[in-house]
């Protein structure tokens, strides 16, 4: 099965980066099976993964996308790699082999790497599936390639940055709708969530015809729509995440609003603490402290700064304002194909900020029965410094 | 941490069933870590699983729910097991140990099973996490308990059946809204999806105050809302699953509408082929054939019938109507905590239908460029026979 669309390697710098890593690590091929990983290396997300989707990446060769016959047409229309191969028995379609294990073995044999070091995602692959891969490739020396793929994902390609901008714009629309709904007073958490979801879906449906809003599902089910809203009011803020309830936010309380969006697989997040009228001095003080700490760290978001140094600045900010005892373990994280990617902005990181990274900035102050702040933006690191992709007002927010 | 709510084992028959399986398989404890599995054995779904949630099940003991300190309050308010334990360092809360590995080792030691056969979910647990568990329990003989848990899940407990009824009722509301939107003509796939999602969310928000509509996420992200709709029109039906587009279903086409819902973790599905006006004879014929085949199989959905026999009846139905060449590999599946649970209604099954199972019935006829039918209902198997939990009109559907 060959695609007619022309494809050039230079349009997907991630392949170059991954190839360099594979050469450094002496890995001859990577057999990628996670939803995020296979999408990263092919652009195909079938949403349902009951039939495994596999990408075989090897230096000097386009990524090979191996899918069940039923998914062939869909895969060919979605993917940017020109090499799509099929397995399985379905509707009389000609395939490489009846099972993915057989097809994988044939591809690895053809590539001449059957006896070499082959990378798999040990951080994702189940023990049972690992056994299947090992059985299909009896001569291979399987090694963990989780880090190769996740490090490669840290620097975003131009298409990913474009999608992050869209996801962030949709998040802005959702936050505006949530804040407006909270301003009406008397609506339940659920009603606020529904208002924001509805606004985002309308925005997506009208303005982004080429963008998919589905997310990556688990092995037991798909995630059809990744335009997500969480609303936790008053004491429920301490749950950090929960389904919304029929609780009505009360005058004088604060409400945590989380907007998480996705555009063609790339996520954005936008989070705000909204004050319902005038709140207690202790809450107000914590909010102002966190806004100032964020500003201090944001100034430093330039390529070349050690991530640990960012955390240190936040730590000092917490301490000098009397919040040293509730310093969080991290003050942000990388974001992209995952809503939370593996890089954390914490005190033990040995990573350095680089242009093309996308991170969230979200130091929080949570003190039981006193306050809980929740501010986060999605920020692209450019050569010139931080570029906020989410634009919603980042100051003190009262309705 | 102890809950004040009284809890009796008899209210959760699943624990009895799992205990019997463990005794049969000579497994002294199961260390469960999957979102579906831990919810099954505790009733707690934090939506975000960045900090592992673990349930330790052992005969003669209530399930032990082990969560990160941050999740302690939420877990205690959600779970029905009285034994909640904490790990990690957070906000000065007293915990069992700084890491889940250490806490797990302490619990297993305390239960006196450290050197025994301990079950893990090899079908879900990643290679990396397996290694962590093995490292924490160096004296244990780890064995696969995936089948023990999934077989146990086949028979639904009363609380699960109650939730399936709710999920099915919400699905009925979604299908009615989707069909109405299609009847308006001129709306895009996306607009139909949005109309159905909106109707279901309003229904949930108004009528089910105690029900959570979140789903189980992946390790990289959560699934905040499991009230899902897929709409695939005309030639796009062959994709089987995809994000909706701005395509407008055309006069004379058929449209596949998939409604998947969840209530407190339990899923329902309802799928229909909707004809936009009068469709080609070949499509009409396939739809009528599938409706008749479904009726023939549905009559047999009684406890005690081998699942393979159901498939055989469908096979004969396909053959006698001239569709033998496009007989699908399965004609339905179990449903519950997973949208697709492991039991398939196929020709190689060695399972027998039993009261308390919930299954979908969905033989499909897909012939490239000719037709694609999509009818599915969620059906509870009772002593008296099949009880359709989804009630939406199951006949020929034209708008």
């Amino acid at each position: 099965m060959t695609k007619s669309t022309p494809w050039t390697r230079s349009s997907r710098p991630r392949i170059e980066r991954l190839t360099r890593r594979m050469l450094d690590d002496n890995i001859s091929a990577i057999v990628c099976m996670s939803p995020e990983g296979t999408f990263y290396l092919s652009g195909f997300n079938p949403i349902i993964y009951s039939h495994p989707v596999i990408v075989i990446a090897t230096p000097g060769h386009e990524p090979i996308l191996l899918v069940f016959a039923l998914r062939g047409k869909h895969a060919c229309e979605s993917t940017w790699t020109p090499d799509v191969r099929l397995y399985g028995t379905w509707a009389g379609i000609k395939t490489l082999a009846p099972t993915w294990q057989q097809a994988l073995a044939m591809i690895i044999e053809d590539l001449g790497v059957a006896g070499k070091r082959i990378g798999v995602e040990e951080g994702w692959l189940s023990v049972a599936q690992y056994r299947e891969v090992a059985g299909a490739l009896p001569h291979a020396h399987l090694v963990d390639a989780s880090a190769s793929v996740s490090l490669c994902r840290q620097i975003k390609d131009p298409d990913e940055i474009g999608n992050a901008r869209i996801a962030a714009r949709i998040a802005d629309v959702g936050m505006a709708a949530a804040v407006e709904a909270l301003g009406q007073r008397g609506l339940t958490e659920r009603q606020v969530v529904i208002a924001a979801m509805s606004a985002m879906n309308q925005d997506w449906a009208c303005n982004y015809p080429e963008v998919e809003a589905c997310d990556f599902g688990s092995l037991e089910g798909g995630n059809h729509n990744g335009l997500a809203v969480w609303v936790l009011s008053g004491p429920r803020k301490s749950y950090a995440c929960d389904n919304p309830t029929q609780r009505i936010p009360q005058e004088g309380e604060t409400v945590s609003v989380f907007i998480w969006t996705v555009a063609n697989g790339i996520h954005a997040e936008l989070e705000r603490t909204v004050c319902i009228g005038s709140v207690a001095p202790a809450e107000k003080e914590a909010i102002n402290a966190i806004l100032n700490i964020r500003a201090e760290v944001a100034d430093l978001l330039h390529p070349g700064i050690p991530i640990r140094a960012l955390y240190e600045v936040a730590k000092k900010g917490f301490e000098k304002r009397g919040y040293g005892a509730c310093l969080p373990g991290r003050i942000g994280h990388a974001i992209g194909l995952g809503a939370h990617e593996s890089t954390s902005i914490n005190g033990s990181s040995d990573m350095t900020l680089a242009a093309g990274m996308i991170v969230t900035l979200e130091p929080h102050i949570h003190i039981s029965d006193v306050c809980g702040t929740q501010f986060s933006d999605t920020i692209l690191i450019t050569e010139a410094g931080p570029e906020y992709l989410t634009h919603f007002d980042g100051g003190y927010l009262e309705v």
Side-chain angles (χ1 to χ4, degrees), chain A residues 373-391:
Chain A
T373 72
Q374 196 77 35
F375 286 89
S376 182
D377 282 278
T378 300
I379 304 168
L380 171 67
I381 308 302
T382 76
E383 293 295 349
E387 178 190 334
Y388 278 65
L389 301 183
T390 39
H391 295 122

Side-chain angles (χ1 to χ4, degrees), chain A residues 17 21 146-156 300-312 330-335 341-359 381:
Chain A
R17 287 199 304 279
R21 273 193 192 284
S146 302
S148 307
V149 179
S150 69
L151 286 170
C152 187
R153 276 169 54 178
Q154 285 192 324
I155 304 294
K156 269 59 183 177
L300 305 171
L301 294 172
H302 284 260
I305 192 165
I307 282 178
R308 183 191 302 143
L310 300 172
Y311 186 79
E312 284 305 315
R330 68 177 185 181
I331 58 161
H333 55 79
I335 185 167
E341 296 200 328
S342 57
T343 303
S344 284
I345 304 181
N346 62 27
S348 60
S349 176
D350 55 5
M351 309 286 307
T352 298
L353 224 52
M357 286 185 176
I358 302 182
V359 298
I381 308 302

